[in-house]
Amino acid sequence: MIEFKQDGLYSKRFDDVYFNTQNPLLECFHTYSSVVDALEGSNITIAEAGFGAGLNFFSTVSSLNGKNLHYIAIEKYPFNKDELRQIYQRFECFSRYFDEFIKQYEVLQNALIRINLGKDIILDIYFGDILEGLKELNFKADAWYLDGFTPAKNPQMWSEELFGAIKYFCKNGAIIRTFSSASIVRLRLLDAGFSVKKLKGFGKKREMLEAICVKEYQKPQNWYSLPAIDKFTNVLVIGGGVAGLVSATKFKKAGFNVVVAEKMNEVATNGSSNLAGILMPLITLPTTVLGLMHMSAFLMARNFYKDSEFSDFCGVDDYGVSELQLKRFEEWGQNGIFELTKNSSLYPSAFIKSAAQLMPKSLCSDLAKSLDVKFGYEFAGLKKSGDGYLVEFKNQKRVSADLVIFAMGDKSNYLFNEVFYDEYMQLSSVRGQVTHIKNGIDLKRPFSAKGYACKSVNGVQVIGATYDRNDFTSCARSKDNEKNIADISEFLIGKNVDIIGSNVGFRGYSGDRSPLIGAVHDALKFKEIYKSLLWTKNRENHAGAVHHQNILISSAHGSRGLCTAVFGAEILLDMVLGRQICTTKSILDSLNPARFLVRKLKKGLVK
């Protein structure tokens, strides 16, 4: 709950104000954002310890002078959306970007959210303790803002441990600015290896500190270290479903030459082929990595689709049809993402306010219009050719590329069985059949219960879906239509259902329900490295993973691919650009394609 004291934004927890009410933007510029002019290059990365109300961020945005900004902040006690709106209205000193910022802003504890403000400004906010947050992040900053209330009132933000950790997140020559001139801050910066000097403070404040990183420190690598990507220009995406087309779109917008290879004669013929689908997160317990991953992916995906003519952001009702599901809703509590209602006529429900109904097939076709898509290209193999790859397709077709992204859905098993030789990979194909009915239920928004139902699209409602692992029957079955009808029977009482069609698709699933997103590992070299580490005490920190150079994957998205495909595309783009990944290390590790092999290696179960 926000408080004001003598017209200043006040923190009761720390008995201190967030910023000076007299010319707060001038104070922010003097203390922090004036550093922008001293930073070289057109792309700059700035980190902040304590995001607060975002004033330092908005001040920095107004000081860019044509530079591209990646701003990374860590905030343990965040304001919610309504509080930020009140602060903005009271002080009216933020930025023209505030409205777009607040649309994308959500608090997700112990996770990172990304906000894109145009093509030139990325804001990543980690919500949680700063020392825990730094364990989850991986970046090198050009500058740091240390702004966490005064050292006497918030000693944790100025601890020796924190300064020792921050040095690993600084480029050589990085500038650290802080309003504080306390001797303990100066001494701890010196002890951490920074050079320190005093600068003139703002207004009545006599002094402030500036530190310089005089040496670049490297964090130890572990099993899931990030890949080293060679410079590239030409990208080949294999697969013309949602995962492939969204990845291709993001890479093209980033300035790369992109070709999409699709084995069929049109896009979206498999798991992405439905007339209608639902964009919503999988709600699990909020303490699980899987739950945080799905919520993070949902927040990113809704922003990607927001301008599409094939999206309807009408919200979705997610019904708690079991005690476990209700517990999950309750654990999340009332939050900015969904509202829990227990007095529903059928089941308790979570109304996911910014969820949407999408048209996957139409959406894919629309994305493909702006891409170079080669049809009838069925992947057969690849081999090194100079600095890149020669990718071979059936019928003697070939494409050269510097970087290859596999988005082959349920056919990804072929990759690890026949091309990359990881026998411990856990992938399967799951057959799903949806049923088309003629205006069976008059819906204001789609819902998910035992089954799901979408709103009518041109007189057709999509309901579904069946789930049959390793069933490769491509034709529709009447018994599956009957099951889909039975799963939503509570919502059909008194209705005469008219089945007018079906659609069958095959989705890739992993053994732990998380997608495969990241660099493709070299399983044979992984095993060689492990042999020398098996009995050492320092097995977690070593030379890092070994990857096939410039080969990435976004696959096994299952039934939530509309969410996680966008997430996967952004992660891959972050990897190749060498910037902070759009999520935490814990989530990224849970998506790593090598994870099944690593689990076996750590248990000594690999031959």
Side-chain angles (χ1 to χ4, degrees), residues 308-491:
S308 171
E309 63 179 295
F310 304 106
S311 61
D312 180 0
F313 283 87
C314 50
V316 171
D317 290 315
D318 191 5
Y319 289 97
V321 298
S322 68
E323 289 298 322
L324 176 59
Q325 199 165 0
L326 177 57
K327 180 182 178 183
R328 291 169 175 172
F329 292 166
E330 290 174 336
E331 286 284 324
W332 278 96
Q334 301 294 347
N335 57 68
I337 300 171
F338 65 80
E339 295 176 353
L340 177 60
T341 303
K342 291 188 178 182
N343 58 358
S344 172
S345 58
L346 287 171
Y347 306 101
S349 66
F351 171 48
I352 307 172
K353 293 179 283 188
S354 54
Q357 178 168 308
L358 303 182
M359 299 172 64
K361 180 77 172 181
S362 298
L363 192 146
C364 286
S365 298
D366 189 55
L367 291 175
K369 291 177 183 177
S370 302
L371 298 168
D372 180 5
V373 184
K374 297 185 180 299
F375 295 107
Y377 277 63
E378 184 173 354
F379 175 74
L382 80 168
K383 57 186 178 183
K384 288 288 291 181
S385 177
D387 295 330
Y389 290 95
L390 184 63
V391 183
E392 299 173 334
F393 300 87
K394 294 183 178 180
N395 301 324
Q396 287 73 53
K397 297 174 181 177
R398 296 179 174 183
V399 176
S400 296
D402 307 320
L403 183 137
V404 181
I405 299 173
F406 287 98
M408 294 169 56
D410 75 313
K411 301 302 180 185
S412 298
N413 243 336
Y414 173 80
L415 291 175
F416 296 98
N417 289 337
E418 305 296 334
V419 181
F420 300 125
Y421 306 113
D422 182 354
E423 67 270 37
Y424 298 98
M425 181 60 67
Q426 296 178 18
L427 292 174
S428 61
S429 175
V430 174
R431 179 187 184 276
Q433 179 174 319
V434 299
T435 301
H436 296 168
I437 62 175
K438 188 175 181 181
N439 291 332
I441 317 171
D442 184 18
L443 295 176
K444 294 181 179 179
R445 52 182 178 257
F447 69 81
S448 175
K450 294 175 184 176
Y452 68 83
C454 295
K455 296 195 301 181
S456 174
V457 177
N458 298 323
V460 178
Q461 278 188 297
V462 175
I463 64 171
T466 59
Y467 181 101
D468 296 296
R469 190 181 297 273
N470 294 324
D471 179 342
F472 301 100
T473 306
S474 59
C475 60
R477 298 186 293 226
S478 58
K479 69 172 186 177
D480 290 343
N481 288 334
E482 292 169 4
K483 182 182 186 306
N484 287 335
I485 297 296
D487 283 346
I488 63 165
S489 59
E490 299 105 318
F491 300 87

Side-chain angles (χ1 to χ4, degrees), residues 32-189:
Y32 299 110
S33 58
S34 61
V35 78
V36 170
D37 289 337
L39 302 179
E40 298 180 356
S42 58
N43 299 300
I44 60 174
T45 300
I46 294 177
E48 180 179 19
F51 184 73
L55 195 61
N56 289 335
F57 167 69
F58 288 117
S59 174
T60 301
V61 167
S62 67
S63 306
L64 287 176
N65 295 322
K67 294 182 178 180
N68 301 325
L69 173 66
H70 193 158
Y71 196 97
I72 302 156
I74 301 174
E75 177 57 58
K76 188 174 183 178
Y77 305 107
F79 294 109
N80 62 37
K81 278 191 172 191
D82 290 339
E83 289 170 335
L84 286 172
R85 289 191 185 97
Q86 289 181 56
I87 295 166
Y88 175 73
Q89 291 169 1
R90 178 122 178 186
F91 292 101
E92 297 182 353
C93 61
F94 283 84
S95 166
R96 63 186 177 91
Y97 289 102
F98 183 81
D99 288 342
E100 182 57 34
F101 159 81
I102 207 68
K103 287 178 185 177
Q104 299 182 47
Y105 178 88
E106 300 285 358
V107 175
L108 201 55
Q109 285 295 339
N110 302 315
L112 181 147
I113 68 161
R114 170 162 293 180
I115 295 173
N116 288 285
L117 301 178
K119 65 178 182 178
D120 301 329
I121 302 168
I122 295 174
L123 168 61
D124 288 338
I125 311 176
Y126 176 87
F127 296 106
D129 180 82
I130 188 165
L131 289 172
E132 292 301 313
L134 291 177
K135 294 176 185 176
E136 295 284 2
L137 303 177
N138 189 352
F139 64 88
K140 294 287 186 179
D142 297 286
W144 267 89
Y145 301 162
L146 302 185
D147 186 18
F149 300 109
T150 62
K153 295 180 178 180
N154 188 14
Q156 184 183 15
M157 192 64 90
W158 308 91
S159 69
E160 184 178 358
E161 186 179 4
L162 177 60
F163 288 125
I166 282 176
K167 68 184 180 184
Y168 291 102
F169 295 84
C170 292
K171 295 178 183 178
N172 186 22
I175 301 171
I176 295 178
R177 286 278 186 90
T178 172
F179 68 88
S180 176
S181 60
S183 59
I184 192 171
V185 175
R186 178 175 173 274
L187 290 173
R188 285 180 175 170
L189 283 167

